[in-house]
Amino acid sequence: MTSYEGTHPTVVVQVGDLKAHIDEQLASTIEAIWECGFDTFTCCQDLGESNADWPEKLPHMAEWVESRRGWMLIDFPVDSGLAFLSAVANAGPRDAFYARMTHWAAPDAWDVTVKPMDWAMYEDTMPSQFRLHLLQVSFPAYDVPELTRRLRGHAAGRSVPPAPADWSTVGR
């Protein structure tokens, strides 16, 4: 069943007790993530589309919104996000995909950030209390098939032995 409640069409994904409406282009990836036992918070199949109206209220965000067209996002609790990255890296060769996910200077490099959050943002009467809560992974949409393939390989217990990587795209 497809739903169109948000910016993007969604489908229901269920793995065990986990069940959610997921943007349809990320549904099989989120299913694979959950099958690997990793937790997620949110996801988006196109950040530029989802945030297209931001510049109306926040003009300074126009360039960012345009730069995120065709880019997907998955938010994880920090520990699950780190485990996800390790699993994906170990489930495939150290190729151009690997370089994008691991090195900030690679062409179309993934944007992986840990976001400290102040809980006082949600409760004005609280004193500030920052915690590392969220690991955010943003990547080009064209990486979804390889990402999902690697996750399925990890879930099946397959890994690729470590080997040298081609770092020529990052100047190494």
Side-chain angles (χ1 to χ4, degrees):
M1 178 172 117
T2 300
S3 167
Y4 292 89
E5 294 170 12
T7 302
H8 300 116
T10 64
V11 295
V12 174
V13 174
Q14 183 167 3
V15 174
D17 293 339
L18 297 172
K19 182 178 179 180
H21 287 268
I22 304 295
D23 287 0
E24 65 184 359
Q25 291 178 16
L26 278 170
S28 63
T29 305
I30 296 299
E31 180 181 60
I33 287 169
W34 291 351
E35 287 171 351
C36 290
F38 307 132
D39 294 324
T40 60
F41 288 130
T42 59
C43 66
C44 179
Q45 73 184 34
D46 191 306
L47 290 168
E49 288 177 358
S50 289
N51 300 300
D53 61 344
W54 279 16
E56 293 170 21
K57 289 184 180 181
L58 305 168
H60 68 281
M61 294 301 296
E63 186 178 330
W64 183 89
V65 168
E66 267 314 300
S67 74
R68 297 292 91 189
R69 290 193 184 277
W71 281 72
M72 299 183 160
L73 172 109
I74 305 172
D75 288 334
F76 298 88
V78 173
D79 289 344
S80 275
L82 293 172
F84 158 82
L85 291 168
S86 295
V88 172
N90 287 320
R94 293 185 175 169
D95 54 6
F97 176 93
Y98 173 80
R100 278 192 301 284
M101 73 172 284
T102 59
H103 199 287
W104 63 271
D108 286 338
W110 289 19
D111 183 16
V112 179
T113 56
V114 175
K115 305 284 188 175
M117 295 179 70
D118 183 1
W119 292 107
M121 289 176 20
Y122 305 104
E123 180 55 54
D124 293 340
T125 61
M126 286 181 63
S128 288
Q129 183 180 8
F130 282 82
R131 294 188 216 162
L132 292 178
H133 181 69
L134 175 76
L135 187 140
Q136 195 169 73
V137 180
S138 182
F139 50 90
Y142 69 80
D143 275 345
V144 164
E146 178 63 9
L147 173 57
T148 306
R149 186 192 70 72
R150 287 180 182 222
L151 287 163
R152 299 246 185 254
H154 174 77
R158 292 189 297 271
S159 65
V160 174
D166 176 4
W167 295 112
S168 60
T169 61
V170 299
R172 280 184 40 194

